[in-house]
Amino acid sequence: MGCREGIPVERSAGRRTAVVAGVLFLVTEVAAIAGMLLYGPVLDGAAYVAGRGPDGRVAAGALCEMVLLLAVVGTGVTLYPVLRRHQEAVALAYVCGRLLEAAVIAVGIVSLLAVVTLRKNVGGAAADVAQALVAVHDWTFLLGPNVVLGANSLALAYLMYRSRLVPRAVAVLGLAGGSLICASAVAVLFGLYPQVSTAGSLAALPVFAWEVTLAIRLIGRGFDASSVRLAAVGRPALG
């Protein structure tokens, strides 16, 4: 009886969790795009430190990326209580992966803010250091929002597919998106094409579509009720 009475409470809690997670996923997308657009001028480090760089614009980009890293951590923490009922080890790996992703993003933020500081020390050496810091940011951009994000997408999509918390078509999109962006990162690593290129952008579209589709599903419909119910009474919702 206790389990049956607890099911509506579990379902209500699951609905709130789904909405919060969905909103956080949307925040990650908006913050990531805004940060990338605002960072534009500083990504040419030598020219930036030699001129009258728009420091306020870069600071706004850094703020967007700080919101991004908080939302990235938030998605992992929010989803963990639901995901661990289906496969705890993978759920824990997803949370740790999101923390690692946020840490890499933080390194990128610091590197570009350091370029802004260097603009006060114009000179050949300052320009060279600025270029090096931009290179650090470029590598963090490859490792964080590509390699680690791809691995995190695969872990979450796998859990969603096995647990059927969302329709399997949504989970398959995540599996495809995570695989493609990881493969693209390897291609960039070996110099097959630049990360900021048509090929790189096309490779990122499926994982972007996965996160947006998942967010809309979680906000609009929540988790699949039968999967939440089975998890609440202690039965594995695997198929």
Side-chain angles (χ1 to χ4, degrees), residues 87-111:
Q87 201 157 344
E88 187 168 7
V90 181
L92 183 59
Y94 178 68
V95 175
C96 292
R98 292 304 255 179
L99 289 171
L100 176 59
E101 185 181 342
V104 174
I105 292 170
V107 173
I109 295 172
V110 171
S111 68

Side-chain angles (χ1 to χ4, degrees), residues 108-122:
I109 295 172
V110 171
S111 68
L112 291 189
L113 289 177
V115 175
V116 175
T117 301
L118 280 173
R119 201 174 61 77
K120 300 176 182 178
N121 301 292
V122 178

Side-chain angles (χ1 to χ4, degrees), residues 83-169:
L83 298 177
R84 70 183 178 86
R85 299 173 185 171
H86 299 277
Q87 201 157 344
E88 187 168 7
V90 181
L92 183 59
Y94 178 68
V95 175
C96 292
R98 292 304 255 179
L99 289 171
L100 176 59
E101 185 181 342
V104 174
I105 292 170
V107 173
I109 295 172
V110 171
S111 68
L112 291 189
L113 289 177
V115 175
V116 175
T117 301
L118 280 173
R119 201 174 61 77
K120 300 176 182 178
N121 301 292
V122 178
D128 291 341
V129 174
Q131 287 296 97
L133 290 169
V134 170
V136 171
H137 170 267
D138 290 345
W139 284 112
T140 61
F141 189 57
L142 179 67
L143 295 177
N146 284 263
V147 177
V148 183
L149 171 62
N152 288 338
S153 297
L154 286 171
L156 181 57
Y158 169 78
L159 278 172
M160 292 294 186
Y161 184 88
R162 292 293 304 276
S163 65
R164 301 194 185 192
L165 284 166
V166 298
R168 280 189 161 177

Side-chain angles (χ1 to χ4, degrees), residues 7-225:
I7 288 173
V9 176
E10 292 285 345
R11 190 178 302 169
S12 176
R15 185 75 182 92
R16 289 195 298 271
T17 298
V19 171
V20 172
V23 170
L24 288 172
F25 272 116
L26 289 181
V27 169
T28 64
E29 299 301 333
V30 173
I33 293 171
M36 183 172 61
L37 293 175
L38 289 167
Y39 275 154
V42 77
L43 295 180
D44 187 358
Y48 187 87
V49 298
R52 299 179 59 188
D55 295 350
R57 177 174 170 177
V58 177
L63 180 60
C64 287
E65 291 233 304
M66 284 187 276
V67 171
L68 167 63
L69 67 87
L70 291 174
V72 163
V73 173
T75 56
V77 173
T78 301
L79 288 173
Y80 178 72
V82 175
L83 298 177
R84 70 183 178 86
R85 299 173 185 171
H86 299 277
Q87 201 157 344
E88 187 168 7
V90 181
L92 183 59
Y94 178 68
V95 175
C96 292
R98 292 304 255 179
L99 289 171
L100 176 59
E101 185 181 342
V104 174
I105 292 170
V107 173
I109 295 172
V110 171
S111 68
L112 291 189
L113 289 177
V115 175
V116 175
T117 301
L118 280 173
R119 201 174 61 77
K120 300 176 182 178
N121 301 292
V122 178
D128 291 341
V129 174
Q131 287 296 97
L133 290 169
V134 170
V136 171
H137 170 267
D138 290 345
W139 284 112
T140 61
F141 189 57
L142 179 67
L143 295 177
N146 284 263
V147 177
V148 183
L149 171 62
N152 288 338
S153 297
L154 286 171
L156 181 57
Y158 169 78
L159 278 172
M160 292 294 186
Y161 184 88
R162 292 293 304 276
S163 65
R164 301 194 185 192
L165 284 166
V166 298
R168 280 189 161 177
V170 177
V172 167
L173 179 59
L175 292 171
S179 300
L180 186 57
I181 200 167
C182 283
S184 177
V186 173
V188 172
L189 181 64
F190 285 95
L192 297 183
Y193 53 79
Q195 184 176 4
V196 181
S197 62
T198 300
S201 299
L202 290 175
L205 281 178
V207 78
F208 172 79
W210 143 252
E211 291 199 342
V212 171
T213 302
L214 178 63
I216 293 172
R217 164 71 193 197
L218 292 178
I219 294 171
R221 300 287 298 278
F223 300 113
D224 182 84

